[in-house]
Amino acid sequence: MPQPIKFGTDGWRGLIADDFTFDRVALVAPIAAKVLLQVYGASTNSRTVIVGHDRRFLAEEFARKAAETIQAAGFDVLLTDNYAPTPAFSLAAKQMNALGAIVLTASHNPGKYLGLKVKGAFGGSVPPEITQQIEALLPQDESHPPALETANYTGSLNSFNPWPSYCETLRGMVNIELIRSAISSGKLTVFVDVMHGAAAGGLAQILAVPVQEIHSDRDPFFGGGAPEPLPRYLSDFFQLIQNYQRTEGSLAIGFVFDGDSDRIAAVDGAGNFLSSQILIPILIEHLAKRRGLTGEVIKTLSGSDLFPKIASLYNLPVFETAIGYKYIADRMLTTHVLVGGEESGGIGYGTHIPERDALLSALYLLEAVVESGEDLSDIYQRLQQETAFNSAYDRIDLPLASMAVRSRLLEELQNHPLTEIAGQTVVDCNTIDGYKFRLADGRWLLIRFSGTEPVLRLYSEAATLDQVHETLAWAKEWANRL
């Protein structure tokens, strides 16, 4: 029995041929188009919907099915002629004055999954109230889909290439010639792991100079792992950079993009993994100091305490949200924002659409390295010194035996608040998204539950990695004990 069609943090995802089928895509896509028309039709005076896809198994066939059913419902459809990053389709929706975009992707999930993301006319993920409208229109009996009003309009279906406009837009946002010159002269070597995903060839296409890219081939199994920018999937990439023989005085940098290129991680010249907890402070400094930009810094609850400390150096306001880029995007629609980011690698900019964009993040980081003449880790260490704040961070996802265990743990947190963790007194608890406990020595622990599966997510930041691991071990033992 397939799982009900439910939109999560960013779209609806399911197992291919089980939850995610051609019939279900044919059901959801025209309903999503109808809701986009209701919400954005008046402001765009358009009936155009963009349809895109990544490189997953059957992704282009699913995209074709979505496009044909949207057209049959009375819409003009622009269907991509190739895979592309999800932010490229979000940008196309805005630039082409479309109602929005339907993107067939499962982002960073393993290869057995596919999904459908809905993007609005403004160039970002639609808010939860819009996906709730889509869900509300889905029939209880999927074998009898509802008839959609088409206003007697005969839709069209045409193809388009999303890459040229996307690349041109991103080139114009950085000093592209400075970056090209550094690479061409051998002062900077750029490595890229596209994880068999939709960023393949993208950075080289934007820069028009050679980069060392791996895992560029299409592999629906993603090497037996998942296209997620995490260290456990990157051993080949680390080894490539560590073994590279650089000339003295030159710099090296590596980028890792997830399956649909809206999330990023990096690797420094020594082959060390750098999550967005490290990259976001570097980006705040670069955008504020070297580019002279201003605006609010948006962080999620799991973001590092270093973010606000760097922001304070440049008198930038900071706003904290629940975890999920949709909360950052919502804020970006109403507020002047410099940068907004989440610890899982999604980073967006007030200079761009309200959407995570890994390739733009890579360009800004390239610009930061070239203009500063410093390795990414050297920049980060300098920022720690300037703020007198040193920290380490880690997280674990703890599988639970059942949803009943999940309920029991949640009830325990609600009815018996924790007052001491890992030998430290709890001084504060933030409950806007899970339970974030601040402890007497400055460290913090965040306990969150997956909404759809029996998984406990544990996050911690402390002065040392030993303290982080001590805190996470305590939390794991607490959960297992109950």
Side-chain angles (χ1 to χ4, degrees):
M1 186 69 179
Q3 295 294 315
I5 298 171
K6 292 289 184 184
F7 283 79
T9 303
D10 192 10
W12 159 53
R13 297 177 196 177
L15 294 171
I16 298 171
D18 185 1
D19 308 316
F20 200 90
T21 66
F22 284 102
D23 286 344
R24 291 185 122 193
V25 167
L27 175 66
V28 173
I31 291 176
K34 177 182 178 181
V35 172
L36 289 174
L37 177 63
Q38 292 172 343
V39 177
Y40 303 111
S43 61
T44 61
N45 194 28
S46 170
R47 294 188 71 89
T48 299
V49 177
I50 306 291
V51 177
H53 63 81
D54 64 10
R55 301 176 89 194
R56 287 175 178 268
F57 179 64
L58 292 177
E60 55 268 71
E61 286 84 357
F62 276 105
R64 166 68 61 174
K65 174 62 73 172
E68 290 172 350
T69 55
I70 292 171
Q71 178 199 15
F75 293 88
D76 297 321
V77 180
L78 287 174
L79 172 64
T80 183
D81 61 8
N82 203 348
Y83 70 85
T86 289
F89 298 118
S90 296
L91 181 66
K94 182 175 182 181
Q95 289 184 334
M96 295 182 177
N97 194 43
L99 295 170
I102 305 295
V103 186
L104 280 299
T105 176
S107 190
H108 60 280
N109 292 119
K112 61 185 178 181
Y113 289 90
L114 223 166
L116 185 151
K117 293 184 177 182
V118 183
K119 305 297 181 176
F122 57 88
S125 295
V126 294
E129 54 266 28
I130 293 180
T131 55
Q132 288 165 9
Q133 290 179 44
I134 297 170
E135 288 179 3
L137 291 173
L138 295 172
Q140 295 294 317
D141 183 355
E142 293 182 16
S143 64
H144 292 84
L148 295 175
E149 298 177 7
T150 63
N152 296 318
Y153 185 85
T154 302
S156 62
L157 200 166
N158 294 290
S159 64
F160 83 111
N161 182 353
W163 281 100
S165 179
Y166 176 63
C167 291
E168 181 182 1
T169 298
L170 266 56
R171 284 188 205 106
M173 300 180 71
V174 293
N175 188 337
I176 198 74
E177 292 303 328
L178 187 70
I179 297 170
R180 285 172 174 163
S181 175
I183 297 171
S184 299
S185 66
K187 294 179 181 178
L188 175 65
T189 303
V190 180
F191 300 87
V192 184
D193 188 345
V194 295
M195 306 192 86
H196 309 286
L203 196 57
Q205 193 174 159
I206 294 168
L207 294 173
V209 291
V211 299
Q212 299 202 32
E213 182 176 291
I214 67 170
H215 300 139
S216 304
D217 59 307
R218 183 177 188 177
D219 177 7
F221 297 105
F222 300 108
E228 186 170 14
L230 295 175
R232 63 178 175 267
Y233 301 125
L234 302 174
S235 56
D236 291 351
F237 196 49
F238 295 148
Q239 189 172 24
L240 173 66
I241 297 176
Q242 289 164 359
N243 292 342
Y244 181 71
Q245 299 296 315
R246 300 200 312 273
T247 58
E248 187 173 349
S250 66
L251 295 167
I253 187 171
F255 298 114
V256 187
F257 304 123
D258 78 331
D260 70 333
S261 191
D262 64 1
R263 290 168 56 178
I264 187 174
V267 179
D268 69 10
N272 299 305
F273 179 79
L274 307 177
S275 74
S276 58
Q277 298 280 46
I278 293 171
L279 302 181
I280 291 172
I282 295 171
L283 288 161
I284 295 171
E285 185 212 35
H286 176 64
L287 295 172
K289 179 180 179 180
R290 298 186 192 90
R291 296 195 65 88
L293 301 175
T294 62
E296 187 175 81
V297 172
I298 310 175
K299 69 181 290 289
T300 60
L301 202 62
S302 57
S304 171
D305 286 344
L306 183 58
F307 300 1
K309 293 185 180 298
I310 301 298
S312 69
L313 295 177
Y314 302 97
N315 299 312
L316 301 172
V318 177
F319 185 82
E320 189 169 69
T321 73
I323 294 174
Y325 193 80
K326 60 185 178 183
Y327 301 108
I328 296 174
D330 285 350
R331 183 77 179 176
M332 292 177 80
L333 292 174
T334 59
T335 307
H336 176 50
V337 171
L338 177 70
V339 60
E342 51 187 355
E343 59 87 28
S344 60
I347 310 172
Y349 306 89
T351 55
H352 194 36
I353 51 176
E355 175 76 291
R356 297 172 289 194
D357 194 326
L359 282 167
L360 177 57
S361 292
L363 292 174
Y364 278 141
L365 290 166
L366 284 171
E367 192 177 55
V369 166
V370 172
E371 291 191 2
S372 69
E374 299 173 280
D375 181 83
L376 283 178
S377 284
D378 291 338
I379 298 175
Y380 182 69
Q381 290 166 10
R382 174 174 54 76
L383 292 175
Q384 288 181 309
Q385 293 170 359
E386 290 179 10
T387 56
F389 180 80
N390 293 283
S391 70
Y393 167 86
D394 202 359
R395 66 172 276 189
I396 57 175
D397 288 354
L398 180 65
L400 303 175
S402 65
M403 293 299 279
V405 173
R406 175 190 183 279
S407 298
R408 189 161 68 245
L409 291 172
L410 183 56
E411 184 179 344
E412 180 72 16
L413 287 168
Q414 292 170 340
N415 298 332
H416 302 93
L418 295 172
T419 58
E420 186 176 294
I421 293 173
Q424 294 291 318
T425 301
V426 173
V427 297
D428 180 60
C429 180
N430 186 324
T431 58
I432 66 169
D433 188 353
Y435 294 78
K436 183 175 182 178
F437 300 96
R438 286 200 173 272
L439 310 184
D441 65 351
R443 75 179 85 173
W444 55 260
L445 169 69
L446 173 60
I447 300 175
R448 294 177 66 241
F449 297 88
S450 167
T452 58
E453 55 185 339
V455 174
L456 187 65
R457 308 195 192 283
L458 305 171
Y459 313 70
S460 181
E461 184 176 46
T464 68
L465 194 57
D466 285 344
Q467 289 181 342
V468 169
H469 290 159
E470 176 191 35
T471 307
L472 292 173
W474 182 96
K476 185 176 179 180
E477 194 276 332
W478 166 83
N480 289 332
R481 185 176 70 247
L482 295 175

